Amino acid sequence: MDKFVITGGAALRGEIPTNGSKNSALPALAAGLLTDEAVTLHRVPRVRDIRTMERLLVDIGTTVDVEGETVRLRTERILSPEAPYELVKTMRASSLVLGPLVARSGRARVSLPGGCAIGARPINLHIFGLEQLGATINQAHGYIEAVAPDGLRGAVVHFDRITVTGTEDLMMAAVLARGETVLRNAAREPEVVDLADLLIKMGANIEGAGTSTIRIQGVERLHGAEHTIIADRIEAGTFLVAGAITGGDLTVTRCNPEHVGALVSKLQQCGVEVTQPDATSLRVRGTGRLRSVDMTTEEYPGFATDLQAQYMALMTQAEGIAIIVETIFENRFMHAQELARMGANIRLDGKQAIVAGPHALTGAGVIASDLRASASLVLGALVAKGETVIDRVYHIDRGYEKIETKLAGVGAKIRRVV
Ligand code: EPU
């Protein structure tokens, strides 16, 4: 298994580019199932979760051609409307094929995900929504089977709680349903808006994406389209924290500053200088002293749960006490114990992590437990004294493309050991 060996202490300087968004590209790939024409996606990051989704689409019957960051999809016919356990267990976003498959072929069989490193993560809201649209759902042998032989019909779907992929899944189901669908308490994440933009290019009729009420008028059929995926706000945010924690002078390019507004505001409150040199860049400069600031994760436009672990690494180096509250997932503090092994002072109390700083970190052997937790360990290692060895970096490869090359390019002492 690959490992990262990182020697801390170097302040990061220079420019670091952002890739296309993994969490936007995943539903965009699934949307390719909604038409028999070609869908071409640009700026698709070459990360492991994307490859998993591409494998799933090939199994279903899609021809997938990859050239650099461009992916061309064509699903003339659905051969097997199924997402097997082997793929779903490595990537929950596989459940994103549920909506498009029922909409296109009247049938889908998707493995139930089971537990995961960051929480229970059920898909009950995806199922509830499809039932509202007229699908009949059966559960057996660990699989959910949804059938709608006469097609789906528009309905009002009021989500009990906000779900990002649930909103995306239902949006993809509703675009081919008869009549109007209204999604209430919908997720407002930029990835939802990006998916709506793609679907509209394919001929869908969608209004309100980016607000909590999305209205969809079903159409008979969708056609091919070409679309460029938005910048990955979580990757951009991770790099901003890397600049801040190392007290460097780092410009994160090819990003959308608006999408990381909540993080930028926190960084400024902590005493980090953040400026916007142009429309798609953010420059972060350490001022030598970090102040602790409390943070609570929220749905967009609040502070992203996907940046909580990275922020915790930063708070280990800040002066004072920071209370970090995780409200989205029930078990997303796995990085705290590993950061503590490096010398951080963190106490966990249910949904809260209490971080007292600054505590000098020292290099240690640590284990990556999930994607964003691994990112926080890389950040901790960048300021730790001596050498840190991070095991199981396949977790980080799920969502960050060549992070070690990018960080090394701005002065980090990091290498991959195979
Ligand atoms: N939830 C339910 N029932 C459902 C769906 C969700 O109870 O049917 C709960 C979840 O258990 C969780 C909360 O609702 O407690 C929010 O989950 P959500 O459905 O919004 O998460 P997701 O769509 O599965 C996406 C991202 C995650 C990100 C979350 C929250 C993708 C592919 N994944 O997951 O990204 O953390 O939204 O913003 O878009 C990551 O990239 O590292 C990652 C985990």
Side-chain angles (χ1 to χ4, degrees):
M1 261 183 277
D2 291 13
K3 295 181 174 63
F4 280 161
V5 179
I6 301 171
T7 306
L12 303 191
R13 290 181 200 287
E15 287 192 0
I16 191 163
T18 314
N19 274 94
S21 159
K22 161 183 85 82
N23 287 350
S24 230
L26 287 169
L29 287 165
L33 293 170
L34 288 163
T35 174
D36 58 2
E37 295 183 16
V39 172
T40 303
L41 302 173
H42 301 290
R43 210 180 177 190
V44 177
R46 298 317 299 162
V47 297
R48 204 161 59 101
D49 275 8
I50 296 294
R51 278 191 268 273
T52 306
M53 182 59 100
E54 288 166 355
R55 247 171 66 207
L56 174 57
L57 294 181
V58 168
D59 283 358
I60 291 172
T62 307
T63 309
V64 179
D65 292 314
V66 181
E67 210 184 309
E69 293 188 332
T70 295
V71 180
R72 189 169 174 275
L73 309 161
R74 179 131 199 213
T75 317
E76 279 182 58
R77 273 184 320 125
I78 305 283
L79 301 178
S80 158
E82 182 164 322
Y85 182 56
E86 295 72 60
L87 293 183
V88 177
K89 75 173 183 222
T90 59
M91 189 189 63
R92 256 130 224 286
S94 310
S95 53
L96 278 168
V97 299
L98 192 54
L101 283 177
V102 191
R104 169 94 184 264
S105 69
R107 193 171 157 251
R109 194 167 173 267
V110 171
S111 169
L112 280 167
C116 135
I118 61 175
R121 304 188 74 184
I123 56 164
N124 59 306
L125 297 169
H126 302 229
I127 295 166
F128 160 78
L130 286 174
E131 278 179 332
Q132 301 298 105
L133 264 60
T136 305
I137 311 279
N138 275 305
Q139 186 184 331
H141 311 295
Y143 278 76
I144 286 287
E145 186 155 29
V147 289
D150 302 321
L152 297 168
R153 52 177 157 68
V156 175
V157 177
H158 192 125
F159 292 106
D160 279 350
R161 66 176 294 176
I162 298 174
T163 160
V164 178
T165 51
T167 301
E168 293 163 349
D169 211 6
L170 264 291
M171 203 156 72
M172 289 189 278
V175 287
L176 290 178
R178 282 190 304 281
E180 183 181 70
T181 297
V182 183
L183 304 180
R184 292 199 195 283
N185 200 23
R188 294 180 288 164
E189 269 64 6
E191 295 77 17
V192 173
V193 178
D194 198 31
L195 174 64
D197 287 345
L198 166 64
L199 293 170
I200 290 167
K201 286 181 190 166
M202 293 169 70
N205 188 340
I206 303 172
E207 272 175 24
T211 75
S212 52
T213 302
I214 304 179
R215 283 177 195 279
I216 301 145
Q217 308 290 340
V219 295
E220 280 278 308
R221 62 183 301 273
L222 295 182
H223 49 73
E226 195 165 340
H227 182 70
T228 301
I229 300 295
I230 57 171
D232 195 315
R233 63 193 168 101
I234 307 303
E235 189 196 26
T238 304
F239 294 154
L240 290 175
V241 176
I245 199 170
T246 61
D249 181 354
L250 196 61
T251 302
V252 180
T253 60
R254 303 192 70 209
C255 68
N256 184 333
E258 195 185 320
H259 292 169
V260 283
L263 172 67
V264 167
S265 163
K266 279 289 163 203
L267 290 175
Q268 288 168 335
Q269 291 168 54
C270 294
V272 178
E273 199 180 305
V274 188
T275 52
Q276 191 182 323
D278 59 56
T280 56
S281 302
L282 282 169
R283 180 176 181 186
V284 63
R285 268 174 290 192
T287 49
R289 245 183 91 184
L290 285 165
R291 279 189 300 277
S292 295
V293 177
D294 295 347
M295 184 277 282
T296 299
T297 61
E298 279 169 25
E299 290 89 2
Y300 189 82
F303 195 104
T305 172
D306 289 345
L307 287 170
Q308 177 258 108
Q310 298 87 318
Y311 187 77
M312 190 182 293
L314 183 71
M315 286 303 96
T316 68
Q317 301 307 300
E319 202 171 309
I321 307 266
I323 297 179
I324 296 177
V325 185
E326 172 58 55
T327 67
I328 309 294
F329 291 109
E330 58 279 16
N331 188 28
R332 210 175 196 181
F333 284 145
M334 307 276 275
H335 42 283
Q337 287 90 334
E338 299 301 301
L339 288 171
R341 295 197 62 245
M342 296 170 73
N345 183 344
I346 304 170
R347 195 154 58 82
L348 297 182
D349 182 12
K351 286 179 164 188
Q352 289 189 358
I354 299 136
V355 188
H359 269 257
L361 302 183
T362 52
V366 289
I367 295 182
S369 56
D370 75 70
L371 170 56
R372 308 305 171 185
S374 340
S376 83
L377 299 181
V378 170
L379 295 170
L382 289 177
V383 286
K385 197 169 159 43
E387 194 172 270
T388 297
V389 179
I390 305 180
D391 202 354
R392 300 197 189 160
V393 298
Y394 59 85
H395 283 294
I396 212 162
D397 293 333
R398 286 185 45 209
Y400 293 89
E401 186 178 331
K402 298 198 183 106
I403 192 170
E404 73 278 24
T405 313
K406 286 191 181 186
L407 290 174
V410 288
K413 296 199 171 60
I414 176 170
R415 65 194 159 89
R416 182 183 290 258
V417 181
V418 191

